[in-house]
Each structure stands twice: as structure tokens, then as C-alpha cells.
Amino acid sequence: MDKKYSAQIKLSLAALILFIGTFIAGTFCDRAAAETLFSPDNTIAKLITTLGIYPFYAAQVLFCGALFQRINNLDKRSPFRMSMCAICVFWTVFIGYIGGRSLTSANNLGSIFPSVTGSLPVIIILSMILMYPLFFVGYSASEKSEDKLLARRILGLFCVLLIAYISMELLKNSFQRPRYRTAVLGYDGIPFVPWYRPFEGAKAAAAEYGLSADEFRSFPSGHSIFSMLSMCILPSLAWLFPKFEGKHIRFFFCGIVFGIIIMATRIILGAHYLSDTSAGAVIGTLSSIAFSAIQIHISKKQLS
């Protein structure tokens, strides 16, 4: 197991160099790349880009089911055990709903079907179909898993996902960069802004032109971060499904390819610049390195 995660660290470092290179290129070529690729009515890109956020939310529901099974089967029937089970259920309900709401947002399915944006019935239907069943899949798979470190591995994965999310929110709220699709409309006071120059007029511009605050959250790309976290999520499926054992590196590369495809759709739709998506990829890759290091530490601690 350690060898697989050591190999993932090495591959992640190589990917990190690549994404740092594209980030530097984007710093100088953001506007040119955006102008070249911009196609806001590309329906295929809209459909594909919606998939970018799904692994982030779906994985949490899946592994919450697995974690619930392990906690529920502890020998001690203590208040701590009951509290942890309740937390797993609460988080599943919460994150499943948030995932469904994100799928219907204006950056996802709402860009194709505006009427579904914020629609509670649609959110509930998507959550019931695409999110909540994964809890029971995780529970069932955990019963068959022989990994004695499963609960610790899942908690390690959740820590990485949480830190990546917090990093995204802090950066988005600090820079408030206007999205290209907004800057290109020619509003006074909403120009092209390079990523390294925080935009100070976001709140005033949003109020003046009736724009959503989300139009000033371009840097970094959340879709890129979430999709690149597949480098952690996909290999982790081997914890629950024995048939995936030995395909760790293959799943890791699938995560990279998936992330790059999502990055391209975000630029095509004018939701982000090259530097935005590259910054997201850097965060996702650093998360992959941290994830692998945590898993190695968990294995070594058990051996010691």
C-alpha cells in the first residue's frame, strides 16, 4: 500500500510542475486564451462541466456510509459511538442536499435549464437519485472490506477535502476576480483583472448592475479543485471494492485527465481564465500529495 501512495506522490509532483507552468503561462496569456476559447453557448461543455463537482460531493456520501458501518459495529455502545453515527447521518443529509443544489446552480445544469436553478423539488430529486443511494452503497461495501484501517483512511480523505474547500473559499473571497463572461460584457468598472490584483469593486458593481456575487469569484476555479481531487477520490475506491485493487495508479491518471477536461470547459464557457483553472489544479495536486502522505502515515502508525 505504501508503495502505491509513494508512487502517487512522485506522479503528483510531476503534475504539480506541469500545472505551475500553465499557471505562469496564464498569468501572461489569460486574456488571449479566454478570447480564443470563449464559447458561452456550448451545450456540450455545459453538460461536461456539471460533472466536475460531482465526485467531491458523491465521495463524501459514499464514504460516510462506510464510516457509519464501521462506527455502528464497534463493540462499545457508548454515547460517543451514537454521537459519531448521528454526525455521519447528518453530514450525509447535508452534503447530499448541498451537492444537489450545486448541480442545479447557474454554473452547472442551471446554465442549460435556467428554471432548475434553486428549485427545491429538483434539488431533492437529484439528491435522492445521485447522492443518498451512495450512502447505502458505502455501507454495504464497508461490510465486505477487510481493511482494518478503513475508518482512519476515510477520515484522512475527509480532512484533505475539507482543507481544499476552505482554501478555495478563502482565495475566492480575497481576490473577488470578475469572471471573463462578465468582464467581456463591457460594464463600466468591471474590466479584465489579472489574478494577482484583488478586485475592490465587486460588491458595488454587483449592486449597480444586478449581478450575482458569484460573478466575482473567478480565482481560483472551484470546478478545477473539485475535479482534480479525483486524484485522491478515485484511487480510494479500492478501499471498498476489491476488484479495483491494483488499479491505483490507473485511477490516479483518470483523475488527472478528468480534471484537465473540466478545466478546459471552464475556460470555454468564460467562467474562468487559464490562471484560475491552473491555480485550482495546483491546489488539487497539493491535496493529492497531502492525501498520499497521510495514508502512508496511517499505515506506518499501524505497523509501529
Side-chain angles (χ1 to χ4, degrees):
M1 184 69 72
D2 286 356
K3 291 182 179 179
K4 295 176 182 178
Y5 289 117
S6 296
Q8 182 166 332
I9 289 177
K10 294 177 182 177
L11 292 170
S12 296
L13 287 172
L16 183 62
I17 294 172
L18 170 65
F19 293 133
I20 289 175
T22 58
F23 176 70
I24 294 172
T27 300
F28 296 100
C29 306
D30 263 348
R31 182 181 290 181
E35 290 175 350
T36 302
L37 298 175
F38 187 46
S39 180
D41 298 322
N42 191 317
T43 304
I44 295 177
K46 290 179 179 179
L47 287 172
I48 294 174
T49 205
T50 300
L51 299 175
I53 64 167
Y54 183 68
F56 178 79
Y57 296 104
Q60 293 183 67
V61 175
L62 175 71
F63 286 112
C64 265
L67 191 59
F68 181 89
Q69 189 276 331
R70 287 302 165 97
I71 295 172
N72 190 49
N73 285 277
L74 290 174
D75 293 335
K76 297 180 179 180
R77 296 184 176 276
S78 64
F80 172 78
R81 168 184 166 276
M82 296 176 63
S83 298
M84 291 301 296
C85 286
I87 290 173
C88 283
V89 173
F90 169 79
W91 190 250
T92 297
V93 174
F94 174 75
I95 206 68
Y97 172 80
I98 295 299
R101 190 177 70 177
S102 296
L103 287 172
T104 66
S105 72
N107 275 311
N108 295 299
L109 290 177
S111 64
I112 306 174
F113 310 105
S115 60
V116 308
T117 303
S119 171
L120 185 59
V122 176
I123 292 172
I124 293 175
I125 290 172
L126 288 178
S127 298
M128 294 296 293
I129 295 175
L130 300 178
M131 297 292 176
Y132 295 137
L134 294 175
F135 179 88
F136 302 101
V137 173
Y139 185 97
S140 176
S142 181
E143 288 182 314
K144 302 172 185 177
S145 174
E146 298 179 357
D147 191 344
K148 296 180 180 180
L149 301 176
L150 181 61
R152 292 183 181 181
R153 295 194 187 284
I154 291 172
L155 291 174
L157 173 63
F158 282 1
C159 286
V160 169
L161 298 182
L162 177 61
I163 292 172
Y165 179 81
I166 291 174
S167 299
M168 177 193 74
E169 287 295 323
L170 289 174
L171 289 170
K172 280 183 175 291
N173 292 328
S174 297
F175 286 86
Q176 298 187 334
R177 187 184 195 186
R179 299 181 187 273
Y180 178 73
R181 66 190 181 200
T182 301
V184 78
L185 295 177
Y187 291 116
D188 289 337
I190 309 180
F192 165 79
V193 179
W195 71 266
Y196 50 82
R197 189 183 303 159
F199 184 58
E200 302 294 342
K203 187 176 293 186
E208 181 177 355
Y209 299 111
L211 299 172
S212 167
D214 183 65
E215 293 304 308
F216 302 91
R217 290 168 56 86
S218 187
F219 182 86
S221 166
H223 277 71
S224 297
I225 294 174
F226 289 169
S227 59
M228 281 297 174
L229 286 171
S230 296
M231 291 188 288
C232 311
I233 293 168
L234 294 181
S236 299
L237 295 177
W239 301 340
L240 299 179
F241 306 104
K243 65 180 181 180
F244 295 152
E245 191 67 37
K247 299 179 181 179
H248 187 95
I249 300 302
R250 190 179 304 176
F251 280 127
F252 172 81
F253 277 115
C254 287
I256 292 180
V257 172
F258 176 67
I260 291 174
I261 292 172
I262 298 301
M263 288 169 63
T265 64
R266 302 310 287 160
I267 300 173
I268 290 171
L269 296 173
H272 294 287
Y273 296 94
L274 178 59
S275 61
D276 299 332
T277 58
S278 298
V282 168
I283 293 173
T285 307
L286 289 173
S287 299
S288 174
I289 295 172
F291 165 78
S292 300
I294 289 172
Q295 297 305 322
I296 291 173
H297 175 73
I298 290 172
S299 298
K300 287 183 176 179
K301 189 174 182 179
Q302 177 69 12
L303 291 174
S304 63

